[in-house]
Amino acid sequence: MEIFLQLLVSVLIPATVFGLVALGFTLVASVCRFLPLAHGGLVLAAGYGFYALTVVERVPLMLAGVLVILGTAVVGGLINLVIYERFRTNRSFNAVVALIVSVAVMMLIENILLLLFGSQTKIIPTLLEGSLVWGGAQITTQE
């Protein structure tokens, strides 16, 4: 039973993160009326921004979280204003063009981050130390 509970906890924690990202995709897609794949690039940029602030610049974790949320919102708004709005006002804008533009923006964001941070795995410090044991399942601070 302990192994089942550990597996359940180990699956549910990343599943909630993926669920939040999917919820963001759904929210933005319903507003924009197309699938904004660049949203995934912004999630990636937020993670690297948090890494840069906490590890490189030594900003406290909570302040870094607030700054990253605000920065990502501003960058997402600028992408919408500068790129997507320009295409939406064009009469030839359709779902295929929107998808191509969104993939291009996503690739641009990913490649800029690759140039800035490299391809090595980055580790962000944890807010708490140790782990929590719940019903026989261990939840580490990295989870």
Side-chain angles (χ1 to χ4, degrees), residues 14-82:
T16 56
V17 174
F18 293 140
L20 284 173
V21 173
L23 185 64
F25 267 113
T26 305
L27 178 67
V28 175
S30 66
V31 171
C32 295
R33 293 181 304 277
F34 69 92
L35 184 61
L37 295 176
H39 180 77
L42 286 176
V43 171
L44 181 68
Y48 275 111
F50 189 76
Y51 168 80
L53 287 175
T54 56
V55 174
V56 178
E57 299 298 326
R58 305 265 186 228
V59 175
L61 292 175
M62 293 298 200
L63 178 61
V66 170
L67 291 174
V68 164
I69 290 170
L70 292 174
T72 304
V74 168
V75 170
L78 285 174
I79 288 172
N80 183 49
L81 186 66
V82 173

